[in-house]
Amino acid sequence: MVDVERTLDEAGLTNPHVREYVAHWAAITGAARVEIVSAADDARLVQESLDAGELLPAGDGLYYSRSYFKDTARAEERTIVATNDEADRGIYNNWRPSSEMKPKLVELMTGASAGKTMYVIPYLMAPKGSPLEKFAAGVELTDNRNVVLQMIRMSRVGVEFINDLGDSFVKAVHVTGDLENLGQGTPDDKRYFVTVADERTILHFGSSYGGNALLGKIAHGLRQGSYDGWKNGFLVEQFMLLGITDKETGRKYHICGGFPSASGKTNLAMTLAPDALGDRYYVEFYGDDIAWLWVGDDGKLYGMNPEYGVFGVAKDTNEKTNPTAIDSIVPGTGAIFTNVAYNEKTQEVWWEGKTPEPPTDLDGWTDWKGDVIANRTSDQAGDPWAHPNSRFTTTLGNVPNVAKDVEDPAGVEIHGIIFGGRTRDREPLIRAIHDVAEGVYDGLTLGAEATAAADGLEGVLRYDPMSMRPFMSYPEADYAAHWLEVIGRATDKPIFAHVNWFQRGDDGRFLWPGYRENLRPLVWLMQYFNGEVEGQQTPVGVLPKKEELLLEGLDEQALADLDTVLTIDIERWQQEIGFREKHLAQFEGLPEEIWEAHRRVADALDNA
């Protein structure tokens, strides 16, 4: 029997609540060894992983990992929010009673780590000293060394973060399970990823993939965090966060916002100023995936990125789409690549979109499953080399333009909240929204176009409220009311806006160049916020006048298309209002302020 108490003593872990929790789960999982880890253990654990073949070298100070081929993404259908109160059931949170889920997970986890090391990861999903620190602390138990390495990159890890917090920590247990015999995707699927939100406990069984296994990130940083925020007066959202400094005036602005999948969130978070504006504007990176927001004692809205690193999608990341990301994963950064293509001879990695074409010399190249690419048959020739959800993990400190105050426990003042979907029409480049209820209404009706293959309704939006649809932990009507309450409490309110980089012309081409040029409408938004420009009023918000945008250096085609991207299609919007009404009607008890905002927009469109 492992001597848990002695191991905890030697690691300096003194918190009695944590000690009891570790001993309890060591007995359940049957782990042969217990090891308490800190960030200082990273080099040793990397070497152990290299020696064991769990990691492969991918250049100087870069590493490659490959997961089981059926275990490469989050499994939303197996992801559950459990509580003791059925009133917590929402449309999207896949609610189950904790009395059902906890015994099921204990049964699955019993003895499932036999012969393995149980790593104890004390972590913090906030800068130390943050006003939300007590909600940010957790202890993840895992039997997977790669999870430890990824958590060291994605959170602050060490006993010093939890020793003085008493019982104010999230109890997060991850057991990998026998990945080849879990029945993934069958009626006998044994995987369960459960957040017992009202007990601040996370129980995940049956995966080693990041979103299912790095419990500080999504399960705590989003699902548990949003439930805690609901009960304690703050917001937790799947938002990017950036800073824009006007070097001419010295003013700095912070903008956060939500974007559904494949709508450009990470690229925007890591953007740089376009060359023509670089002398005046400097963009700083705060975070690409999660923001926690709260109202300070001074009445201002503050925000922070709780993460310590970036867990980015590799696909289509290159020098044009996201040069900042490329510079964050260069040799010496300690970055880990997961499920990309790997060359066993040269130790290079590759993914679709990294370069226009894959390497022509196939010698040594294996795909994300480990299969030799040179041995592919003709019918396999078009198969991807990297998994579409392949990832890179790197720390914030490796991002070249990371904000100097990213670790400031006070957070940063939030001046703008933006939402951005992917739509080929109806949504202009940017529209600003003053009214809080209309801003929240806009977030609740955020969406990206569904494909015809998905549901036969080409051009119809798949709604993703605030981009939180996969991460909701409590009912949507309560969620809307909580947004209204938190933002309503701020005496200095941010401005809301909706952006869309993806309008297309009749010929199918994008009408806006995107990427670094996206800073231009954000600068306009802050100028509008300050009263420096007036814009043009429309039924769905205020759009820029063409002459108000900073257009220096923009190519002729983009200039020619401005009239289109700065107008709205009334008829398409009226159609959209009908879809929105059906979407919102799902959420029983939705605040009347939201319905009033909906009717105001609908009436304005009818009278346009």
Side-chain angles (χ1 to χ4, degrees), residues 75-80 94 96 185-194:
E76 296 302 339
E77 74 282 0
R78 309 300 299 174
T79 303
I80 290 160
N94 203 7
R96 304 270 186 88
T186 73
D188 299 321
D189 202 326
K190 294 180 176 64
R191 300 171 299 159
Y192 283 98
F193 311 117
V194 181

Side-chain angles (χ1 to χ4, degrees), residues 387-403:
H387 189 276
N389 193 41
S390 56
R391 297 280 175 159
F392 61 85
T393 314
T394 192
T395 59
L396 294 181
N398 289 325
V399 180
N401 66 330
V402 67

Side-chain angles (χ1 to χ4, degrees), residues 168 337 551:
S168 293
F337 301 95
L551 302 178

